[in-house]
Amino acid sequence: MARQRGQKYQADVVIDGVRKRPSFATLAEAEAYERAVEKGLPEVGATTFKKFHETHFAFIWGDNGAPQATQYGLDALDQFIPASKPLSEINSGFIMGVVSEMKKTGVSNATINRRLSVLSKLLKHAEKMEITRRPPMDFLKEAEGRDRVLSRSEEAKMFQFFDHMGLTLSGAVVRFLLYTGCRLGEVFSLTRDRVHDGRVTFHYTVTKTSKTRLVPLIGPAKEAWETVCKLSDLEKPFALLPRDTFRDHWNRFRGHMGLLEDDQFVPHMLRHTCASRLVSKGIQLPQVMLWMGHRNIQTTMRYSHLAPKDLDGAAKALMEA
């Protein structure tokens, strides 16, 4: 039972048969620590925003297929939420203010919504630990059909830029992203044993169930894999290139293209491009769903407007015996 000792508050718990009595600045922190230990959750340490998400990141997002994307979201939130902000003070009004400040930076509604999703999951975890209640938050309306895709001429310029600048590894990454449609995190975590017989196996997590998808390794993606394997003897060949270095190279390319103000011109755009091209060439949505590793068909349906409108093939099928 937590109690006050001088200017501090002391928790009282038993962990692996050992009694511990750590001190905290507030009663709320001491009680949250006791509840965490009782439930077998990671120790709280603090109930302020930055300390909490640093302490609990692995527990909340450790099974995520691309935890780096979540980390970037948290890094962005750190710019708008003071590190010392108590979780109990992050209410709907405060969140609206954060959204307003993010909008001033010119980022898209989609980007803001991704950050809000990260914040919502963090607060949901804090609610389970009875530290605070997750407040209602309104997500912003996203414009339909605004997913940026790479044109064929932009693709040619992209390959030419990375090759001309001698950025071989980054050039391999963009080729692999575009022609497999995988996520950036999947590239850097890809191991050699997942590539064989002309296919690459990607693993991803749905709740607690691990799923896999097999994607043909073709054209520029195949060349990219062969290139990076020759340059690296690591078990994860693409890991030879630091992720931050790749992002720096990508931003140099954006500057070269005069697209620094286009907040949708990001590496994830290459995944959208892959899906868009598959659909526009008449590949059925269930097949595209399998290729991209979408968790539900609704995600794939966002590309349905690109499907060929001509029904001659369907008419011919009806007449066949």
Side-chain angles (χ1 to χ4, degrees):
M1 177 68 70
R3 60 178 178 172
Q4 187 169 5
R5 295 294 298 268
Q7 299 299 314
K8 298 284 187 176
Y9 291 85
Q10 189 180 73
D12 190 345
V13 299
V14 175
I15 301 177
D16 296 329
V18 179
R19 193 165 197 172
K20 293 187 177 183
R21 292 175 174 172
S23 296
F24 298 87
T26 67
L27 178 62
E29 288 178 308
E31 292 178 337
Y33 177 88
E34 290 180 336
R35 288 193 295 270
V37 172
E38 182 181 353
K39 295 180 179 181
L41 297 170
E43 297 179 6
V44 177
T47 56
T48 51
F49 178 70
K50 187 174 179 63
K51 181 64 176 179
F52 187 80
H53 76 64
E54 288 178 342
T55 303
H56 294 267
F57 183 89
F59 184 84
I60 303 173
W61 291 286
D63 293 330
N64 191 316
Q68 297 91 343
T70 300
Q71 186 60 63
Y72 280 115
L74 289 168
D75 291 343
L77 288 169
D78 281 338
Q79 298 177 38
F80 300 95
I81 303 177
S84 59
K85 185 72 173 177
L87 293 177
S88 59
E89 294 181 10
I90 300 180
N91 52 34
S92 295
F94 176 79
I95 294 172
M96 290 173 64
V98 169
V99 170
S100 178
E101 291 301 311
M102 286 194 287
K103 288 178 73 69
K104 290 179 182 178
T105 66
V107 297
S108 67
N109 285 3
T111 296
I112 292 175
N113 283 345
R114 286 195 293 272
R115 295 173 183 175
L116 288 178
S117 293
V118 171
L119 178 60
S120 178
K121 190 164 186 177
L122 183 75
L123 294 177
K124 181 179 180 181
H125 179 63
E127 185 174 55
K128 287 182 179 178
M129 298 180 68
E130 301 177 28
I131 294 172
T132 186
R133 296 188 65 181
R134 180 174 52 167
M137 59 180 74
D138 296 325
F139 288 83
L140 305 180
K141 183 176 181 180
E142 299 180 26
E144 295 183 5
R146 288 189 65 241
D147 285 329
R148 180 71 155 82
V149 297
L150 199 73
S151 68
R152 291 290 182 178
S153 63
E154 287 175 330
E155 175 186 342
K157 291 176 182 177
M158 179 177 70
F159 292 166
Q160 183 181 43
F161 172 83
F162 285 105
D163 293 345
H164 178 73
M165 296 299 292
L167 305 175
T168 305
L169 286 172
S170 289
V173 171
V174 296
R175 286 173 166 87
F176 201 84
L177 289 170
L178 181 58
Y179 281 88
T180 64
C182 70
R183 302 170 180 86
L184 190 59
E186 291 174 324
V187 170
F188 289 101
S189 63
L190 183 63
T191 54
R192 293 175 183 272
D193 62 329
R194 294 185 186 178
V195 179
H196 51 83
D197 300 328
R199 296 178 182 274
V200 54
T201 301
F202 295 112
H203 295 282
Y204 61 104
T205 302
V206 180
T207 62
K208 295 184 179 180
T209 304
S210 179
K211 299 289 185 179
T212 62
R213 68 185 191 279
L214 269 66
V215 174
L217 197 60
I218 58 171
K222 182 175 183 294
E223 295 169 8
W225 178 252
E226 292 172 350
T227 296
V228 75
C229 284
K230 290 178 182 177
L231 295 173
S232 169
D233 59 0
L234 298 175
E235 180 60 20
K236 299 177 181 179
F238 283 108
L240 180 65
L241 175 69
R243 186 162 174 156
D244 287 341
T245 300
F246 169 70
R247 289 193 175 276
D248 177 61
H249 292 170
W250 177 266
N251 286 332
R252 288 167 62 182
F253 170 56
R254 288 178 68 181
H256 172 75
M257 295 290 286
L259 295 170
L260 288 175
E261 300 303 315
D262 185 349
D263 70 340
Q264 292 196 31
F265 199 84
V266 295
H268 194 70
M269 167 191 67
L270 302 177
R271 177 170 163 82
H272 289 311
T273 302
C274 179
S276 298
R277 289 180 180 179
L278 289 171
V279 174
S280 65
K281 290 299 182 181
I283 305 303
Q284 297 299 305
L285 293 181
Q287 291 175 279
V288 176
M289 176 184 173
L290 290 174
W291 182 298
M292 302 305 296
H294 291 154
R295 297 183 181 185
N296 53 66
I297 194 66
Q298 285 76 20
T299 303
T300 317
M301 285 295 294
R302 70 197 294 186
Y303 303 101
S304 61
H305 65 286
L306 299 171
K309 297 299 185 288
D310 118 41
L311 298 177
D312 290 347
K316 181 180 178 180
L318 283 175
M319 295 302 295
E320 291 178 348

